[in-house]
Amino acid sequence: MAAQPNPPPSVLREFCPLYYLLNAIPAKVQRGFRSVLVYLTALDSSNDFLAVGSSIGMLYLYCRRLAHMNKYSLEGKSDAITAVKLLSCFDDLVAVGTASGRVAVFQLVSPLPGRNKQLRRFDVVGLHKGSVTSLAWSTNGMKLFSGDDKGRVVFSSLDLDQGVCKPVLLLEESAGVVQMEYSHQVLLVSTQHRSLLFCTQKQEVLQLGTKPRKSSGRFGACFLPALCKQSDLQVFAARPGLRLWRSDIRGQVEDTRLLKPLFNTQIPQFDLFPRPGPIGAYRPADRHLGLLSCFLREGWILSWNEYSLYVLDCLNEVIIGALESSGDIVSVSCCDNEIFILKGDRDIIRLSNSPEGLASNLSELSIRLTSPLTTPTILPPTGSVETAQPIRTMAIIVEGGGREEGGGGGWVRQGEEGERDEDEEGVEDVEEAEEQLEVIDSYSDEFN
């Protein structure tokens, strides 16, 4: 029996490991007299930034234009970050969700005229009852939707000019939220049991298909790029058995694509740089789709779960590439021609059809070079970290309409030029400094 030919290589691959990014994030920090390991827990990307959440409640934000790392503390209890979402509109915004259900929004400082000149943070607490699993922005940054693993979806209305954030409970599903996306005043929500469309104008809930899924799972859904009308919106939704639904904005299924035959042939694997140590991981006997996102070209779909990642061409019915049996996939984000994958405790992979820093076409390059934040010279990655700056903490909204005023002495620690090693990392925030003083006082009391 003749051996099957090897599949052609994928057009996407890893050109270079992101050592400059990982080296700018400490592997350990000093908390009082304890050394604490730093695990990376969430990821999002844009043309301007890479945002990485951590197990110690610290957000690491890498500015790609300036090759510069900032870090932002949520203050208070060290709570693992479970979701991050970037938005570049009139102001640069980043939303963060945590394991305890807290949601924070950072309005970043901009050097451009008329833009925000003071780092501000908005907090939403008391509405989520579980870990935040998904975040979705409106295009103008005035609406933020957050979903948790208990099935709650919270809508936060932001007025950045007035410095006000008003959250309300929008939906409460019977299963945890897996993925969300917002477009044309319609919120697409995927849970462990079903996918639904929520029209924010009519306050109307429409389910995709006639019945919920028979088996629960992390199956996502995404909008297809549409024209300027809400009626033009279409949805791709992942289904068990390697099936893909395409529905209209009313939830009516127009097409079911059976993708299983594509997986019966040899699948081109993404070419990765060699890594030290074993990289193999468990892969289920049956392949499944997972969360979904449109990617790069018309008809291309990015799908991923904790075991595997696939890029599918649904128009030509081929698999562009796959990543299988390479370790636990924690978080995935894509922008333009790039896919960023957070894998395991501390590994970030960039897949693309071109090296980092090179525009995929001349028009994109001209747009980037006209930005006031860039110069015609591509800056080399340095991993430098900005020094600490004070932050004005906005009012915290609590459940029941009450309000607690944030203290004016809050600080966001943004590190120092170049990351220090474990022994020099020091205390991460003011609360830790107070904790350290309390320990010293206790030792003094014991020996006096």
Side-chain angles (χ1 to χ4, degrees):
M1 180 175 169
Q4 291 184 347
N6 292 327
S10 172
V11 297
L12 305 172
R13 66 185 181 93
E14 184 182 25
F15 285 86
C16 183
L18 303 182
Y19 292 140
Y20 66 88
L21 177 65
L22 296 173
N23 290 340
I25 302 175
K28 295 180 181 179
V29 296
Q30 202 71 22
R31 290 285 173 94
F33 293 110
R34 296 179 296 113
S35 180
V36 180
L37 293 174
V38 178
Y39 301 116
L40 307 185
T41 55
L43 172 77
D44 195 28
S45 63
S46 69
N47 289 329
D48 300 313
F49 298 101
L50 287 175
V52 183
S54 69
S55 58
I56 59 171
M58 191 72 69
L59 173 69
Y60 297 91
L61 189 65
Y62 181 76
C63 180
R64 305 179 70 184
R65 302 283 196 243
L66 305 176
H68 189 75
M69 178 73 84
N70 293 336
K71 59 181 181 179
Y72 302 93
S73 171
L74 296 181
E75 299 182 6
K77 179 183 176 182
S78 297
D79 196 11
I81 293 174
T82 53
V84 291
K85 196 65 176 178
L86 292 162
L87 178 68
S88 293
C89 51
F90 184 75
D91 287 303
D92 291 318
L93 305 170
V94 55
V96 174
T98 73
S100 66
R102 179 181 177 184
V103 175
V105 175
F106 291 96
Q107 183 182 8
L108 305 181
V109 174
S110 173
L112 300 180
R115 302 276 288 273
N116 184 48
K117 299 304 178 185
Q118 183 178 13
L119 178 67
R120 294 196 293 177
R121 192 188 72 226
F122 302 84
D123 285 324
V124 177
V125 295
L127 292 177
H128 284 293
K129 300 303 182 182
S131 176
V132 177
T133 55
S134 183
L135 297 163
W137 282 106
S138 64
T139 306
N140 60 9
M142 298 177 66
K143 299 176 182 179
L144 175 67
F145 301 90
S146 52
D148 62 38
D149 60 359
K150 303 298 183 184
R152 284 194 165 197
V153 176
V154 173
F155 162 57
S156 299
S157 175
L158 282 85
D159 187 332
L160 300 177
D161 293 332
Q162 299 297 323
V164 176
C165 174
K166 297 179 180 179
V168 295
L169 180 62
L170 191 68
L171 293 170
E172 193 157 12
E173 287 288 298
S174 60
V177 175
V178 171
Q179 187 177 11
M180 295 192 305
E181 196 170 316
Y182 181 76
S183 180
H184 292 76
Q185 298 181 325
V186 178
L187 179 66
L188 174 60
V189 180
S190 291
T191 74
Q192 294 271 0
H193 289 169
R194 65 171 183 166
S195 294
L196 60 93
L197 296 159
F198 181 81
C199 181
T200 56
Q201 279 184 318
K202 300 178 181 178
Q203 299 287 299
E204 181 183 20
V205 176
L206 300 170
Q207 179 177 273
L208 266 65
T210 57
K211 297 180 181 179
R213 292 189 297 267
K214 294 181 180 179
S215 57
S216 62
R218 290 177 53 81
F219 297 100
C222 66
F223 287 117
L224 277 70
L227 299 177
C228 58
K229 292 190 300 181
Q230 185 184 98
S231 58
D232 294 326
L233 284 177
Q234 289 188 319
V235 176
F236 267 156
R239 301 290 295 176
L242 295 173
R243 291 179 297 140
L244 192 66
W245 274 355
R246 181 174 59 85
S247 80
D248 62 15
I249 197 59
R250 301 296 299 173
Q252 299 294 323
V253 178
E254 298 179 343
D255 183 22
T256 299
R257 308 194 178 193
L258 305 178
L259 304 178
K260 194 169 185 179
L262 303 182
F263 290 84
N264 292 332
T265 59
Q266 286 189 299
I267 300 174
Q269 299 290 314
F270 296 123
D271 187 16
L272 304 183
F273 262 73
R275 281 163 168 75
I279 60 173
Y282 168 75
R283 191 189 78 186
D286 297 326
R287 294 182 172 102
H288 293 284
L289 299 180
L291 279 66
L292 299 182
S293 179
C294 291
F295 173 67
L296 189 58
R297 298 177 186 173
E298 183 182 359
W300 282 28
I301 293 291
L302 168 65
S303 178
W304 66 275
N305 54 40
E306 59 183 312
Y307 304 109
S308 56
L309 179 145
Y310 304 103
V311 176
L312 310 169
D313 183 346
C314 294
L315 292 181
N316 298 309
E317 297 186 347
V318 295
I319 299 177
I320 302 301
L323 184 64
E324 298 179 312
S325 302
S326 61
D328 296 333
I329 298 177
V330 177
S331 184
V332 174
S333 174
C334 64
C335 63
D336 291 343
N337 65 330
E338 301 174 300
I339 301 173
F340 291 92
I341 306 164
L342 174 57
K343 203 164 63 65
D345 295 332
R346 196 180 174 83
D347 191 10
I348 298 177
I349 298 171
R350 175 188 177 270
L351 299 176
S352 182
N353 57 3
S354 64
E356 191 172 13
L358 297 181
S360 58
N361 54 60
L362 291 178
S363 62
E364 180 185 349
L365 180 62
S366 64
I367 291 174
R368 293 191 180 191
L369 295 186
T370 55
S371 169
L373 294 180
T374 60
T375 63
T377 303
I378 298 176
L379 297 173
T382 62
S384 60
V385 181
E386 190 173 321
T387 56
Q389 294 181 356
I391 172 176
R392 186 180 75 195
T393 304
M394 304 306 298
I396 298 175
I397 309 299
V398 297
E399 191 170 17
R403 176 174 296 184
E404 300 175 6
E405 294 299 329
W411 286 76
V412 166
R413 185 177 178 84
Q414 293 178 282
E416 298 179 4
E417 188 70 18
E419 277 295 349
R420 297 175 292 179
D421 58 28
E422 175 190 346
D423 295 332
E424 297 176 332
E425 181 63 22
V427 182
E428 288 293 333
D429 51 31
V430 174
E431 184 188 56
E432 292 163 13
E434 295 173 349
E435 181 184 57
Q436 201 169 22
L437 289 174
E438 291 175 2
V439 174
I440 295 173
D441 291 340
S442 65
Y443 277 104
S444 298
D445 294 340
E446 182 176 346
F447 287 101
N448 287 337

